mmCIF file of all heavy atoms in Angstrom:
data_model
loop_
_atom_site.group_PDB
_atom_site.id
_atom_site.type_symbol
_atom_site.label_atom_id
_atom_site.label_comp_id
_atom_site.label_asym_id
_atom_site.label_seq_id
_atom_site.Cartn_x
_atom_site.Cartn_y
_atom_site.Cartn_z
ATOM 1 N N MET P 1 0.845 -1.192 0.000
ATOM 2 C CA MET P 1 0.000 0.000 0.000
ATOM 3 C C MET P 1 0.883 1.246 0.000
ATOM 4 O O MET P 1 1.668 1.464 0.913
ATOM 5 C CB MET P 1 -0.890 0.026 1.242
ATOM 6 C CG MET P 1 -1.959 -1.016 1.267
ATOM 7 S SD MET P 1 -3.363 -0.656 0.205
ATOM 8 C CE MET P 1 -4.293 0.540 1.135
ATOM 9 N N GLN P 2 0.701 2.061 -0.984
ATOM 10 C CA GLN P 2 1.373 3.358 -1.041
ATOM 11 C C GLN P 2 0.439 4.398 -0.410
ATOM 12 O O GLN P 2 -0.770 4.166 -0.287
ATOM 13 C CB GLN P 2 1.640 3.743 -2.494
ATOM 14 C CG GLN P 2 2.450 2.728 -3.279
ATOM 15 C CD GLN P 2 3.876 2.624 -2.774
ATOM 16 O OE1 GLN P 2 4.499 3.639 -2.457
ATOM 17 N NE2 GLN P 2 4.379 1.413 -2.664
ATOM 18 N N ALA P 3 1.019 5.549 -0.113
ATOM 19 C CA ALA P 3 0.210 6.631 0.468
ATOM 20 C C ALA P 3 -1.000 6.917 -0.426
ATOM 21 O O ALA P 3 -2.125 7.089 0.069
ATOM 22 C CB ALA P 3 1.064 7.882 0.627
ATOM 23 N N TRP P 6 -4.025 4.731 0.185
ATOM 24 C CA TRP P 6 -4.812 5.073 1.375
ATOM 25 C C TRP P 6 -5.659 6.319 1.121
ATOM 26 O O TRP P 6 -6.834 6.372 1.501
ATOM 27 C CB TRP P 6 -3.895 5.295 2.585
ATOM 28 C CG TRP P 6 -3.347 4.017 3.137
ATOM 29 C CD1 TRP P 6 -2.049 3.571 3.051
ATOM 30 C CD2 TRP P 6 -4.076 2.998 3.841
ATOM 31 N NE1 TRP P 6 -1.941 2.350 3.668
ATOM 32 C CE2 TRP P 6 -3.157 1.973 4.153
ATOM 33 C CE3 TRP P 6 -5.398 2.857 4.229
ATOM 34 C CZ2 TRP P 6 -3.531 0.820 4.841
ATOM 35 C CZ3 TRP P 6 -5.777 1.700 4.916
ATOM 36 C CH2 TRP P 6 -4.846 0.705 5.215
ATOM 37 N N LEU P 7 -5.046 7.290 0.457
ATOM 38 C CA LEU P 7 -5.796 8.525 0.184
ATOM 39 C C LEU P 7 -6.998 8.215 -0.706
ATOM 40 O O LEU P 7 -8.092 8.754 -0.500
ATOM 41 C CB LEU P 7 -4.872 9.568 -0.463
ATOM 42 C CG LEU P 7 -3.711 10.042 0.440
ATOM 43 C CD1 LEU P 7 -2.790 10.990 -0.320
ATOM 44 C CD2 LEU P 7 -4.236 10.723 1.700
ATOM 45 N N ARG P 9 -8.614 5.389 -0.823
ATOM 46 C CA ARG P 9 -9.631 4.711 0.010
ATOM 47 C C ARG P 9 -10.513 5.721 0.731
ATOM 48 O O ARG P 9 -11.716 5.554 0.819
ATOM 49 C CB ARG P 9 -8.957 3.817 1.055
ATOM 50 C CG ARG P 9 -8.537 2.493 0.472
ATOM 51 C CD ARG P 9 -7.969 1.617 1.566
ATOM 52 N NE ARG P 9 -7.829 0.276 1.038
ATOM 53 C CZ ARG P 9 -8.294 -0.825 1.620
ATOM 54 N NH1 ARG P 9 -8.897 -0.744 2.785
ATOM 55 N NH2 ARG P 9 -8.127 -1.997 1.074
ATOM 56 N N TRP P 10 -9.886 6.748 1.268
ATOM 57 C CA TRP P 10 -10.668 7.770 1.986
ATOM 58 C C TRP P 10 -11.543 8.559 1.020
ATOM 59 O O TRP P 10 -12.703 8.829 1.318
ATOM 60 C CB TRP P 10 -9.736 8.705 2.776
ATOM 61 C CG TRP P 10 -9.289 8.076 4.070
ATOM 62 C CD1 TRP P 10 -8.078 7.496 4.330
ATOM 63 C CD2 TRP P 10 -10.064 7.933 5.274
ATOM 64 N NE1 TRP P 10 -8.052 7.005 5.613
ATOM 65 C CE2 TRP P 10 -9.258 7.271 6.221
ATOM 66 C CE3 TRP P 10 -11.351 8.308 5.645
ATOM 67 C CZ2 TRP P 10 -9.700 6.966 7.504
ATOM 68 C CZ3 TRP P 10 -11.804 8.011 6.922
ATOM 69 C CH2 TRP P 10 -10.976 7.352 7.833
ATOM 70 N N ILE P 15 -13.649 2.361 3.693
ATOM 71 C CA ILE P 15 -13.001 2.403 5.016
ATOM 72 C C ILE P 15 -13.633 1.360 5.948
ATOM 73 O O ILE P 15 -14.074 1.682 7.051
ATOM 74 C CB ILE P 15 -13.037 3.823 5.622
ATOM 75 C CG1 ILE P 15 -14.474 4.384 5.652
ATOM 76 C CG2 ILE P 15 -12.127 4.757 4.835
ATOM 77 C CD1 ILE P 15 -14.605 5.643 6.511
ATOM 78 N N PHE P 17 -12.321 -0.629 7.749
ATOM 79 C CA PHE P 17 -11.586 -0.753 9.020
ATOM 80 C C PHE P 17 -12.144 0.166 10.098
ATOM 81 O O PHE P 17 -11.865 -0.003 11.280
ATOM 82 C CB PHE P 17 -10.099 -0.392 8.800
ATOM 83 C CG PHE P 17 -9.892 0.921 8.111
ATOM 84 C CD1 PHE P 17 -9.995 2.123 8.799
ATOM 85 C CD2 PHE P 17 -9.610 0.979 6.745
ATOM 86 C CE1 PHE P 17 -9.837 3.341 8.158
ATOM 87 C CE2 PHE P 17 -9.440 2.193 6.088
ATOM 88 C CZ PHE P 17 -9.556 3.378 6.801
ATOM 89 N N HIS P 18 -12.928 1.168 9.688
ATOM 90 C CA HIS P 18 -13.403 2.168 10.660
ATOM 91 C C HIS P 18 -14.488 1.565 11.551
ATOM 92 O O HIS P 18 -15.463 1.001 11.052
ATOM 93 C CB HIS P 18 -13.948 3.394 9.933
ATOM 94 C CG HIS P 18 -14.518 4.425 10.855
ATOM 95 N ND1 HIS P 18 -13.747 5.103 11.773
ATOM 96 C CD2 HIS P 18 -15.798 4.860 11.030
ATOM 97 C CE1 HIS P 18 -14.528 5.928 12.463
ATOM 98 N NE2 HIS P 18 -15.761 5.799 12.038
ATOM 99 N N GLU P 19 -14.310 1.689 12.864
ATOM 100 C CA GLU P 19 -15.298 1.168 13.806
ATOM 101 C C GLU P 19 -16.287 2.275 14.154
ATOM 102 O O GLU P 19 -15.886 3.420 14.380
ATOM 103 C CB GLU P 19 -14.622 0.710 15.098
ATOM 104 C CG GLU P 19 -13.651 -0.438 14.882
ATOM 105 C CD GLU P 19 -13.072 -0.955 16.187
ATOM 106 O OE1 GLU P 19 -12.367 -0.181 16.875
ATOM 107 O OE2 GLU P 19 -13.307 -2.122 16.522
ATOM 108 N N ASN P 23 -13.459 1.158 20.696
ATOM 109 C CA ASN P 23 -12.935 -0.203 20.656
ATOM 110 C C ASN P 23 -13.046 -0.854 22.044
ATOM 111 O O ASN P 23 -12.593 -0.280 23.038
ATOM 112 C CB ASN P 23 -11.467 -0.164 20.204
ATOM 113 C CG ASN P 23 -10.896 -1.541 20.039
ATOM 114 O OD1 ASN P 23 -10.460 -2.157 21.001
ATOM 115 N ND2 ASN P 23 -10.916 -2.036 18.821
ATOM 116 N N MET P 43 -1.604 7.974 18.941
ATOM 117 C CA MET P 43 -2.330 7.027 18.082
ATOM 118 C C MET P 43 -1.748 7.094 16.671
ATOM 119 O O MET P 43 -2.054 8.010 15.898
ATOM 120 C CB MET P 43 -3.825 7.359 18.066
ATOM 121 C CG MET P 43 -4.499 7.022 19.390
ATOM 122 S SD MET P 43 -6.266 7.387 19.429
ATOM 123 C CE MET P 43 -6.891 6.453 18.062
ATOM 124 N N PRO P 44 -0.883 6.108 16.332
ATOM 125 C CA PRO P 44 -0.337 6.080 14.968
ATOM 126 C C PRO P 44 -1.425 5.692 13.979
ATOM 127 O O PRO P 44 -2.298 4.881 14.288
ATOM 128 C CB PRO P 44 0.749 4.994 15.056
ATOM 129 C CG PRO P 44 0.329 4.109 16.180
ATOM 130 C CD PRO P 44 -0.431 4.984 17.150
ATOM 131 N N LEU P 45 -1.382 6.277 12.777
ATOM 132 C CA LEU P 45 -2.301 5.906 11.685
ATOM 133 C C LEU P 45 -3.745 5.889 12.201
ATOM 134 O O LEU P 45 -4.464 4.905 12.122
ATOM 135 C CB LEU P 45 -1.907 4.533 11.105
ATOM 136 C CG LEU P 45 -0.657 4.473 10.208
ATOM 137 C CD1 LEU P 45 0.602 4.946 10.897
ATOM 138 C CD2 LEU P 45 -0.435 3.092 9.651
ATOM 139 N N CYS P 46 -4.153 7.045 12.721
ATOM 140 C CA CYS P 46 -5.348 7.081 13.582
ATOM 141 C C CYS P 46 -6.671 7.113 12.840
ATOM 142 O O CYS P 46 -7.725 6.890 13.457
ATOM 143 C CB CYS P 46 -5.261 8.267 14.534
ATOM 144 S SG CYS P 46 -5.225 9.870 13.691
ATOM 145 N N GLY P 47 -6.680 7.402 11.534
ATOM 146 C CA GLY P 47 -7.948 7.493 10.826
ATOM 147 C C GLY P 47 -8.854 8.519 11.485
ATOM 148 O O GLY P 47 -8.407 9.603 11.895
ATOM 149 N N LYS P 48 -10.132 8.181 11.590
ATOM 150 C CA LYS P 48 -11.075 9.073 12.297
ATOM 151 C C LYS P 48 -11.728 8.283 13.437
ATOM 152 O O LYS P 48 -12.924 8.414 13.709
ATOM 153 C CB LYS P 48 -12.130 9.627 11.336
ATOM 154 C CG LYS P 48 -12.970 8.568 10.623
ATOM 155 C CD LYS P 48 -14.151 9.211 9.888
ATOM 156 C CE LYS P 48 -15.083 8.164 9.303
ATOM 157 N NZ LYS P 48 -16.298 8.731 8.724
ATOM 158 N N ALA P 49 -10.879 7.456 14.095
ATOM 159 C CA ALA P 49 -11.394 6.535 15.113
ATOM 160 C C ALA P 49 -12.137 7.271 16.232
ATOM 161 O O ALA P 49 -11.666 8.296 16.731
ATOM 162 C CB ALA P 49 -10.231 5.733 15.705
ATOM 163 N N HIS P 50 -13.257 6.707 16.633
ATOM 164 C CA HIS P 50 -14.005 7.244 17.773
ATOM 165 C C HIS P 50 -13.143 7.212 19.034
ATOM 166 O O HIS P 50 -13.365 7.978 19.969
ATOM 167 C CB HIS P 50 -15.272 6.423 18.002
ATOM 168 C CG HIS P 50 -16.321 6.641 16.964
ATOM 169 N ND1 HIS P 50 -17.666 6.751 17.258
ATOM 170 C CD2 HIS P 50 -16.230 6.790 15.616
ATOM 171 C CE1 HIS P 50 -18.351 6.947 16.139
ATOM 172 N NE2 HIS P 50 -17.502 6.966 15.135
ATOM 173 N N ASP P 51 -12.179 6.300 19.058
ATOM 174 C CA ASP P 51 -11.296 6.172 20.219
ATOM 175 C C ASP P 51 -10.585 7.488 20.543
ATOM 176 O O ASP P 51 -10.280 7.767 21.701
ATOM 177 C CB ASP P 51 -10.244 5.084 19.952
ATOM 178 C CG ASP P 51 -10.876 3.748 19.607
ATOM 179 O OD1 ASP P 51 -12.045 3.518 19.981
ATOM 180 O OD2 ASP P 51 -10.208 2.933 18.938
ATOM 181 N N ILE P 65 -1.482 10.671 14.220
ATOM 182 C CA ILE P 65 -0.911 10.980 12.892
ATOM 183 C C ILE P 65 -1.711 10.227 11.856
ATOM 184 O O ILE P 65 -2.060 9.055 12.051
ATOM 185 C CB ILE P 65 0.592 10.623 12.815
ATOM 186 C CG1 ILE P 65 1.176 10.925 11.423
ATOM 187 C CG2 ILE P 65 0.852 9.152 13.113
ATOM 188 C CD1 ILE P 65 1.878 12.209 11.312
ATOM 189 N N GLU P 66 -2.002 10.897 10.758
ATOM 190 C CA GLU P 66 -2.854 10.322 9.718
ATOM 191 C C GLU P 66 -2.542 11.013 8.389
ATOM 192 O O GLU P 66 -2.408 12.233 8.353
ATOM 193 C CB GLU P 66 -4.338 10.511 10.114
ATOM 194 C CG GLU P 66 -5.360 10.258 9.030
ATOM 195 C CD GLU P 66 -5.278 8.854 8.422
ATOM 196 O OE1 GLU P 66 -5.262 7.858 9.163
ATOM 197 O OE2 GLU P 66 -5.213 8.783 7.185
ATOM 198 N N LEU P 67 -2.444 10.209 7.339
ATOM 199 C CA LEU P 67 -2.131 10.756 6.016
ATOM 200 C C LEU P 67 -3.252 11.606 5.439
ATOM 201 O O LEU P 67 -3.015 12.577 4.722
ATOM 202 C CB LEU P 67 -1.915 9.598 5.026
ATOM 203 C CG LEU P 67 -0.583 8.887 4.966
ATOM 204 C CD1 LEU P 67 -0.695 7.723 3.985
ATOM 205 C CD2 LEU P 67 0.522 9.846 4.530
ATOM 206 N N SER P 68 -4.490 11.208 5.717
ATOM 207 C CA SER P 68 -5.618 11.730 4.941
ATOM 208 C C SER P 68 -6.271 12.945 5.597
ATOM 209 O O SER P 68 -6.734 12.873 6.742
ATOM 210 C CB SER P 68 -6.663 10.617 4.769
ATOM 211 O OG SER P 68 -7.886 11.168 4.361
ATOM 212 N N ALA P 71 -9.938 12.087 6.400
ATOM 213 C CA ALA P 71 -10.137 11.391 7.684
ATOM 214 C C ALA P 71 -10.155 12.388 8.832
ATOM 215 O O ALA P 71 -11.053 12.367 9.692
ATOM 216 C CB ALA P 71 -9.027 10.361 7.891
ATOM 217 N N LEU P 102 -2.108 15.292 13.531
ATOM 218 C CA LEU P 102 -1.106 15.706 12.553
ATOM 219 C C LEU P 102 -1.423 15.024 11.239
ATOM 220 O O LEU P 102 -1.569 13.789 11.194
ATOM 221 C CB LEU P 102 0.295 15.295 13.017
ATOM 222 C CG LEU P 102 0.759 15.876 14.360
ATOM 223 C CD1 LEU P 102 2.101 15.261 14.765
ATOM 224 C CD2 LEU P 102 0.874 17.388 14.260
ATOM 225 N N GLY P 104 0.020 13.881 7.908
ATOM 226 C CA GLY P 104 1.314 13.671 7.280
ATOM 227 C C GLY P 104 1.727 12.223 7.428
ATOM 228 O O GLY P 104 0.909 11.364 7.762
ATOM 229 N N ASP P 105 3.005 11.980 7.166
ATOM 230 C CA ASP P 105 3.525 10.610 7.130
ATOM 231 C C ASP P 105 4.117 10.244 8.495
ATOM 232 O O ASP P 105 4.985 10.957 9.017
ATOM 233 C CB ASP P 105 4.606 10.531 6.041
ATOM 234 C CG ASP P 105 5.080 9.112 5.791
ATOM 235 O OD1 ASP P 105 4.822 8.219 6.628
ATOM 236 O OD2 ASP P 105 5.734 8.900 4.756
ATOM 237 N N TYR P 106 3.654 9.133 9.038
ATOM 238 C CA TYR P 106 4.180 8.598 10.303
ATOM 239 C C TYR P 106 5.705 8.562 10.299
ATOM 240 O O TYR P 106 6.342 8.862 11.314
ATOM 241 C CB TYR P 106 3.610 7.184 10.497
ATOM 242 C CG TYR P 106 4.333 6.319 11.486
ATOM 243 C CD1 TYR P 106 4.028 6.389 12.841
ATOM 244 C CD2 TYR P 106 5.310 5.406 11.072
ATOM 245 C CE1 TYR P 106 4.693 5.576 13.756
ATOM 246 C CE2 TYR P 106 5.964 4.592 11.975
ATOM 247 C CZ TYR P 106 5.663 4.684 13.320
ATOM 248 O OH TYR P 106 6.320 3.877 14.216
ATOM 249 N N PHE P 107 6.292 8.219 9.154
ATOM 250 C CA PHE P 107 7.746 8.046 9.102
ATOM 251 C C PHE P 107 8.487 9.389 9.169
ATOM 252 O O PHE P 107 9.708 9.411 9.309
ATOM 253 C CB PHE P 107 8.145 7.234 7.860
ATOM 254 C CG PHE P 107 7.710 5.793 7.962
ATOM 255 C CD1 PHE P 107 6.582 5.349 7.281
ATOM 256 C CD2 PHE P 107 8.403 4.890 8.746
ATOM 257 C CE1 PHE P 107 6.158 4.019 7.383
ATOM 258 C CE2 PHE P 107 7.990 3.562 8.857
ATOM 259 C CZ PHE P 107 6.867 3.127 8.177
ATOM 260 N N TYR P 121 -1.300 3.756 21.462
ATOM 261 C CA TYR P 121 -2.461 2.889 21.240
ATOM 262 C C TYR P 121 -2.490 2.561 19.745
ATOM 263 O O TYR P 121 -2.794 3.408 18.924
ATOM 264 C CB TYR P 121 -3.738 3.597 21.691
ATOM 265 C CG TYR P 121 -5.001 2.898 21.265
ATOM 266 C CD1 TYR P 121 -5.178 1.528 21.483
ATOM 267 C CD2 TYR P 121 -6.025 3.587 20.624
ATOM 268 C CE1 TYR P 121 -6.329 0.886 21.067
ATOM 269 C CE2 TYR P 121 -7.184 2.947 20.219
ATOM 270 C CZ TYR P 121 -7.325 1.595 20.440
ATOM 271 O OH TYR P 121 -8.460 0.941 20.023
ATOM 272 N N ASP P 122 -2.110 1.323 19.432
ATOM 273 C CA ASP P 122 -1.971 0.880 18.041
ATOM 274 C C ASP P 122 -3.067 -0.111 17.719
ATOM 275 O O ASP P 122 -2.996 -1.295 18.044
ATOM 276 C CB ASP P 122 -0.579 0.255 17.841
ATOM 277 C CG ASP P 122 -0.311 -0.197 16.405
ATOM 278 O OD1 ASP P 122 -1.252 -0.678 15.735
ATOM 279 O OD2 ASP P 122 0.847 -0.107 15.962
ATOM 280 N N ARG P 123 -4.128 0.401 17.096
ATOM 281 C CA ARG P 123 -5.217 -0.462 16.613
ATOM 282 C C ARG P 123 -5.306 -0.244 15.100
ATOM 283 O O ARG P 123 -5.461 0.882 14.630
ATOM 284 C CB ARG P 123 -6.536 -0.078 17.291
ATOM 285 C CG ARG P 123 -7.704 -0.996 16.932
ATOM 286 C CD ARG P 123 -8.623 -0.387 15.876
ATOM 287 N NE ARG P 123 -9.458 -1.409 15.273
ATOM 288 C CZ ARG P 123 -10.156 -1.198 14.153
ATOM 289 N NH1 ARG P 123 -10.127 -0.049 13.524
ATOM 290 N NH2 ARG P 123 -10.862 -2.168 13.642
ATOM 291 N N ALA P 124 -5.093 -1.344 14.347
ATOM 292 C CA ALA P 124 -5.155 -1.293 12.880
ATOM 293 C C ALA P 124 -4.095 -0.374 12.280
ATOM 294 O O ALA P 124 -4.314 0.212 11.220
ATOM 295 C CB ALA P 124 -6.553 -0.910 12.407
ATOM 296 N N ALA P 125 -2.970 -0.232 12.972
ATOM 297 C CA ALA P 125 -1.868 0.575 12.433
ATOM 298 C C ALA P 125 -0.724 -0.353 11.994
ATOM 299 O O ALA P 125 -0.405 -0.425 10.800
ATOM 300 C CB ALA P 125 -1.414 1.592 13.461
ATOM 301 N N ILE P 127 -0.863 -3.447 11.574
ATOM 302 C CA ILE P 127 -1.405 -4.403 10.591
ATOM 303 C C ILE P 127 -1.823 -3.726 9.273
ATOM 304 O O ILE P 127 -2.230 -4.408 8.342
ATOM 305 C CB ILE P 127 -2.587 -5.229 11.166
ATOM 306 C CG1 ILE P 127 -3.752 -4.307 11.572
ATOM 307 C CG2 ILE P 127 -2.134 -6.118 12.311
ATOM 308 C CD1 ILE P 127 -5.029 -5.092 11.921
ATOM 309 N N ALA P 128 -1.695 -2.397 9.231
ATOM 310 C CA ALA P 128 -1.937 -1.687 7.962
ATOM 311 C C ALA P 128 -0.647 -1.547 7.154
ATOM 312 O O ALA P 128 -0.663 -1.057 6.026
ATOM 313 C CB ALA P 128 -2.522 -0.307 8.242
ATOM 314 N N ILE P 129 0.460 -1.951 7.762
ATOM 315 C CA ILE P 129 1.774 -1.770 7.138
ATOM 316 C C ILE P 129 2.206 -3.071 6.458
ATOM 317 O O ILE P 129 2.151 -4.153 7.056
ATOM 318 C CB ILE P 129 2.822 -1.378 8.221
ATOM 319 C CG1 ILE P 129 2.408 -0.075 8.933
ATOM 320 C CG2 ILE P 129 4.219 -1.270 7.635
ATOM 321 C CD1 ILE P 129 2.546 1.180 8.133
ATOM 322 N N PRO P 166 -4.492 -5.039 2.822
ATOM 323 C CA PRO P 166 -4.650 -4.903 4.255
ATOM 324 C C PRO P 166 -6.079 -5.199 4.716
ATOM 325 O O PRO P 166 -6.980 -5.079 3.890
ATOM 326 C CB PRO P 166 -4.311 -3.427 4.496
ATOM 327 C CG PRO P 166 -4.696 -2.719 3.243
ATOM 328 C CD PRO P 166 -4.467 -3.723 2.142
ATOM 329 N N PRO P 167 -6.231 -5.568 6.014
ATOM 330 C CA PRO P 167 -5.183 -5.663 7.023
ATOM 331 C C PRO P 167 -4.254 -6.841 6.733
ATOM 332 O O PRO P 167 -4.696 -7.864 6.227
ATOM 333 C CB PRO P 167 -5.964 -5.902 8.315
ATOM 334 C CG PRO P 167 -7.200 -6.624 7.849
ATOM 335 C CD PRO P 167 -7.535 -6.032 6.529
HETATM 336 C C1 SAM A 301 -6.425 0.501 8.666
HETATM 337 S S1 SAM A 301 -6.594 2.220 8.884
HETATM 338 C C2 SAM A 301 -6.756 2.319 10.657
HETATM 339 C C3 SAM A 301 -7.229 3.634 11.171
HETATM 340 C C4 SAM A 301 -7.446 3.690 12.691
HETATM 341 N N1 SAM A 301 -6.289 3.241 13.430
HETATM 342 C C5 SAM A 301 -8.680 2.937 13.101
HETATM 343 O O1 SAM A 301 -8.573 2.087 14.001
HETATM 344 O O2 SAM A 301 -9.754 3.196 12.563
HETATM 345 C C6 SAM A 301 -4.942 2.768 8.580
HETATM 346 C C7 SAM A 301 -4.842 4.279 8.458
HETATM 347 O O3 SAM A 301 -3.483 4.648 8.346
HETATM 348 C C8 SAM A 301 -3.348 5.722 7.448
HETATM 349 N N2 SAM A 301 -1.945 5.634 6.998
HETATM 350 C C9 SAM A 301 -1.394 4.683 6.217
HETATM 351 N N3 SAM A 301 -0.082 4.881 6.080
HETATM 352 C C10 SAM A 301 0.226 5.983 6.826
HETATM 353 C C11 SAM A 301 1.429 6.694 7.088
HETATM 354 N N4 SAM A 301 2.611 6.288 6.573
HETATM 355 N N5 SAM A 301 1.388 7.772 7.874
HETATM 356 C C12 SAM A 301 0.205 8.198 8.409
HETATM 357 N N6 SAM A 301 -0.980 7.558 8.191
HETATM 358 C C13 SAM A 301 -0.972 6.470 7.410
HETATM 359 C C14 SAM A 301 -4.408 5.466 6.403
HETATM 360 O O4 SAM A 301 -4.805 6.636 5.721
HETATM 361 C C15 SAM A 301 -5.546 4.869 7.239
HETATM 362 O O5 SAM A 301 -6.434 5.856 7.669
#
Side-chain angles (χ1 to χ4, degrees):
M1 291 284 282
Q2 303 293 319
W6 286 109
L7 296 176
R9 279 184 169 231
W10 280 102
I15 53 167
F17 51 79
H18 177 64
E19 297 185 297
N23 184 277
M43 289 180 57
L45 286 59
C46 62
K48 59 170 186 174
H50 288 221
D51 304 337
I65 179 98
E66 167 57 51
L67 278 175
S68 164
L102 300 174
D105 188 344
Y106 162 85
F107 291 102
Y121 169 49
D122 182 324
R123 185 259 163 193
I127 61 170
I129 301 287

